[in-house]
């Protein structure tokens, strides 16, 4: 009963802030897709490409502005997440939010290709300190039985951001203002991140052993939960040996391959979904609203699948099935060129499958790496590898290949089925390793503390989630 009360207390304090932070992070990361088709409906003001990119007839400049975020995001993820262990989590995450909020807001002042690129690069730097940091932070407070659903709530706000992005863009498109409407979009979606970052400093709890948010009895329970089936660090420490172990772990690279496939789809969908829907023959205003339903359904599918995954304590098979669903969506887009209803249904498959798999794979690695330092290295490692897929995805839909975008859709389709295969291989590997340890060392008590200080996830009594 005490543990349930503590869990509710943690949920009420941590989840709203973390989810809202991700909502604004994702809005700021993906609003280029809406800005690209956004014009003033009453006065015909120019869109982003006409106003700041000189028309960009091939779409190449837009692609580079979109992908600039991912270059800095990839480069800074591993060092930023390791470095985050040396600071209070609330301060680190708050500064990241304020930083990307400022960068996003400054996009509104962009006047040419270089200025937009600079803002996107700095946005990537600041978000690199946030994205991989949240799974590590959650692992301080939530057990492996609870992690999947909490990560679903958190990552589900990426889907919520997709839905809200369309609604906000629809409203901004109808605003009567003395400057281009796409500039207002960046202001409206950038300023809230700055405000929320300031709130985070005062609201988000620090590590269980140091936060005044918990009383002594709650802290005792929280530390016991933190050491259930593994063991947490005490204070701000980095185990250098575990950094090397992470770089030598083939499973992290396999996870990176899955994440690469998923992020290629995620980046291309978030940046180009309005463009794809525009090829269905919808008006620009209707396109903004038509982006909402796929993301709304995605949020429901993500939470439902993650709940089942937690109950069954399996990640690999749900990831494989969800990724295959996204592949089927792309297949429909390839083979059904003229049926608008079927093609629109395919976008539901793509978003639901892709977002669900990403939420699950983050939860998978948040508890399968053993020690905090290996998590702080391994999580951003596989995420950085995966974000290379985002760079690819952001270049797959040049205007010159409209309206079918056959090459882009075929690449995404193949990658989804490849990701599903990798997830099955990884799940089988974990099952075999658990079986070998059970045979060699016996079946451990799942509630007992496991000393991972030396061997991380290779400790004899550590067991993987399959």
């Amino acid at each position: 009963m005490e543990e349930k009360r503590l869990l509710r207390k943690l949920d009420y304090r941590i989840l709203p802030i973390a989810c809202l932070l991700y909502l604004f992070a994702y809005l700021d990361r993906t609003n280029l897709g809406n800005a690209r088709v956004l014009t003033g409906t009453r006065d015909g003001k120019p869109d982003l490409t006409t106003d700041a990119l000189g028309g960009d007839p091939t779409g190449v400049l837009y692609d580079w502005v979109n992908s600039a975020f991912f270059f800095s995001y990839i480069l800074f993820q591993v060092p930023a997440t390791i470095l985050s262990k040396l600071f209070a989590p609330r301060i680190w995450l708050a500064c990241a939010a304020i930083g990307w909020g400022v960068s996003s807001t400054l996009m509104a002042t962009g006047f040419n290709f270089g200025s937009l690129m600079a803002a996107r690069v700095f946005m990537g730097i600041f978000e690199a300190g946030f994205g991989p940091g949240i799974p590590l932070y959650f692992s301080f407070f939530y057990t492996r039985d609870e992690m999947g659903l909490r990560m679903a709530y958190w990552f589900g706000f990426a889907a919520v951001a997709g839905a809200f992005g369309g609604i906000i863009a629809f409203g901004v498109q109808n605003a009567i203002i003395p400057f281009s409407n796409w500039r207002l979009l960046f202001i409206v979606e950038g300023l809230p991140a700055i405000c929320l970052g300031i709130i985070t400093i005062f609201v988000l709890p620090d590590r269980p052993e140091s936060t005044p948010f918990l009383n002594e009895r709650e802290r005792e329970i929280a530390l016991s939960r933190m050491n259930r089936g593994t063991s947490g660090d005490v204070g701000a420490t980095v185990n250098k040996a575990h950094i090397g172990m992470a770089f030598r772990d083939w499973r992290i690279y396999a996870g990176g391959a899955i994440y690469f496939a998923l992020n290629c789809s995620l980046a291309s969908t978030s940046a180009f979904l309005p463009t794809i829907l525009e090829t269905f023959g919808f008006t620009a205003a209707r396109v903004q609203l038509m982006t909402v339903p796929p993301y709304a359904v995605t949020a429901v599918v993500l939470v439902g699948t993650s709940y089942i995954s937690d109950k069954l304590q399996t990640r690999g098979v749900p990831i494989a099935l969800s990724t295959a669903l996204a592949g089927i969506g792309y297949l429909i887009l390839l083979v059904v060129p003229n049926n608008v209803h079927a093609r629109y249904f395919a976008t539901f498959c793509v978003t639901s499958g892709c977002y669900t798999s990403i939420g699950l794979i983050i939860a998978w690695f948040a508890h399968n790496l053993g020690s905090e330092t290996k998590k702080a290295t391994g999580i951003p490692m596989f995420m950085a590898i995966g974000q290379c897929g985002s760079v690819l995805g952001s270049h797959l839909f040049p205007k010159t290949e409209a309206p079918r975008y056959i090459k882009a859709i075929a690449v995404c389709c193949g990658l989804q089925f490849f990701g599903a295969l990798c997830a099955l291989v990884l799940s089988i590997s974990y099952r075999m390793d658990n079986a070998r340890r059970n045979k060699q060392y016996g079946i451990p008590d799942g509630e007992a503390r496991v000393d991972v200080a030396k061997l991380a996830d290779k400790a004899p009594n550590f067991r993987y989630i399959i």
Side-chain angles (χ1 to χ4, degrees):
M1 185 62 69
E2 284 182 311
E3 186 169 339
K4 287 184 178 180
R5 282 200 298 267
L6 173 62
L7 183 59
R8 284 196 299 270
K9 183 176 180 179
L10 293 172
D11 283 344
Y12 292 155
R13 179 61 71 93
I14 293 172
L15 290 180
I17 292 293
C19 290
L20 285 175
L21 282 172
Y22 198 61
L23 170 67
F24 292 119
Y26 208 78
L27 276 174
D28 292 340
R29 183 189 308 185
T30 61
N31 53 17
L32 270 177
N34 296 109
R36 191 186 198 189
V37 299
L38 193 66
T39 59
T41 54
R42 301 185 186 183
D43 48 19
K45 291 190 181 76
D47 60 12
L48 179 144
T49 54
T50 304
D51 203 8
L53 296 178
D56 193 21
T58 64
V60 171
L61 294 181
Y62 171 82
D63 291 349
W64 280 110
V65 171
N66 185 47
S67 60
F69 167 90
F70 298 108
F71 289 122
S72 54
Y73 190 63
I74 290 166
L75 289 173
F76 283 88
Q77 276 187 312
V78 173
T81 310
I82 294 174
L83 191 62
S84 72
K85 282 186 56 37
L86 304 179
F87 295 87
R90 62 185 176 86
I91 301 298
W92 181 266
L93 296 173
C95 290
I98 294 170
W100 87 64
V102 170
S103 300
S104 178
T105 305
L106 289 176
M107 288 282 291
T109 67
F111 56 90
N112 61 13
F113 174 70
S115 58
L116 294 176
M117 284 282 286
R120 290 283 290 179
V121 166
F122 277 99
M123 192 189 307
I125 292 173
F126 286 110
E127 284 205 32
F130 171 74
I134 285 291
L136 176 64
Y137 176 71
F138 274 19
S139 70
F140 299 159
F141 295 97
Y142 296 114
T143 67
R144 63 173 61 197
D145 298 329
E146 302 157 354
M147 192 70 170
L149 187 58
R150 271 68 186 183
M151 289 308 305
Y153 290 147
W154 177 71
F155 189 73
F157 270 72
V160 173
F164 268 105
I167 295 172
I168 294 170
F170 179 77
V172 169
Q173 183 156 313
N174 289 281
I176 301 175
I177 52 176
F179 51 89
S180 296
N181 294 63
W182 66 267
R183 297 181 187 274
L184 178 62
L185 181 67
F186 289 123
I187 295 171
V188 168
E189 295 184 352
L191 288 177
I194 301 173
C195 298
L196 190 61
I198 295 171
I199 294 172
T200 299
I201 297 175
F202 303 100
V203 174
L204 199 68
D206 282 327
R207 294 176 59 93
E209 69 269 18
S210 59
T211 179
F213 170 65
L214 302 176
N215 60 39
E216 287 303 318
R217 177 56 183 162
E218 290 170 338
R219 184 173 291 109
E220 181 182 332
I221 298 172
L223 289 173
S224 173
R225 286 163 47 84
M226 188 182 186
N227 292 302
R228 190 172 294 168
T230 182
S231 56
D233 293 342
V234 177
T237 61
V238 172
N239 188 326
K240 295 180 181 178
H242 290 188
I243 296 175
M245 290 177 65
F247 278 97
R248 294 189 299 271
D249 191 339
W250 72 268
R251 289 180 175 128
I252 293 175
Y253 297 98
I258 300 169
Y259 208 59
F260 180 97
L262 294 171
N263 272 279
C264 180
S265 174
L266 183 70
S268 58
T269 300
S270 58
F272 296 100
L273 183 59
T275 303
I276 294 170
L277 292 177
E278 209 170 27
T279 68
F280 292 0
F282 302 135
T283 63
R286 191 179 178 192
V287 162
Q288 305 292 1
L289 292 180
M290 293 293 284
T291 62
V292 176
Y295 288 115
V297 171
T298 293
V300 176
V301 174
L302 170 59
V303 171
T305 306
S306 298
Y307 176 80
I308 295 171
S309 174
D310 269 355
K311 289 298 181 183
L312 299 179
Q313 279 298 281
T314 180
R315 309 278 192 234
V317 173
I319 290 172
L321 292 175
S322 300
T323 308
L325 175 64
I328 291 170
Y330 282 116
L331 199 58
I332 294 172
L333 289 174
L334 275 177
V335 302
V336 184
N338 298 318
N339 189 321
V340 172
H341 298 291
R343 289 170 65 81
Y344 190 47
F345 169 76
T347 65
F348 285 77
C349 295
V350 169
T351 54
S352 295
C354 178
Y355 280 76
T356 297
S357 297
I358 288 180
L360 288 173
I361 196 172
I362 295 173
W364 204 7
F365 278 90
H367 270 290
N368 269 10
L369 296 176
S371 72
E372 286 186 20
T373 298
K374 192 172 181 183
K375 292 176 192 175
T377 310
I379 292 173
M381 267 182 64
F382 90 80
M383 293 179 78
I385 295 169
Q387 291 300 341
C388 295
S390 299
V391 177
L392 173 62
S394 64
H395 288 272
L396 281 179
F397 288 82
K399 287 183 178 179
T400 53
E401 297 186 10
R404 290 291 307 280
Y405 297 109
I406 292 176
K407 181 180 71 176
I409 293 171
V411 169
C412 290
C413 180
L415 283 173
Q416 301 318 296
F417 288 116
F418 171 72
L421 177 62
C422 289
L424 290 177
V425 170
L426 201 52
S427 180
I428 292 171
S429 169
Y430 283 134
R431 290 172 188 267
M432 292 175 64
D433 212 332
N434 283 351
R436 179 185 60 79
R437 293 184 194 184
N438 286 342
K439 184 177 180 180
Q440 186 173 355
Y441 304 108
I443 300 175
D445 179 3
E447 301 289 308
R449 183 181 188 275
V450 176
D451 185 1
V452 297
K454 291 185 178 179
L455 300 176
D457 57 304
K458 303 300 182 184
N461 286 335
F462 185 87
R463 296 295 180 271
Y464 298 106
I465 298 177
I466 58 175

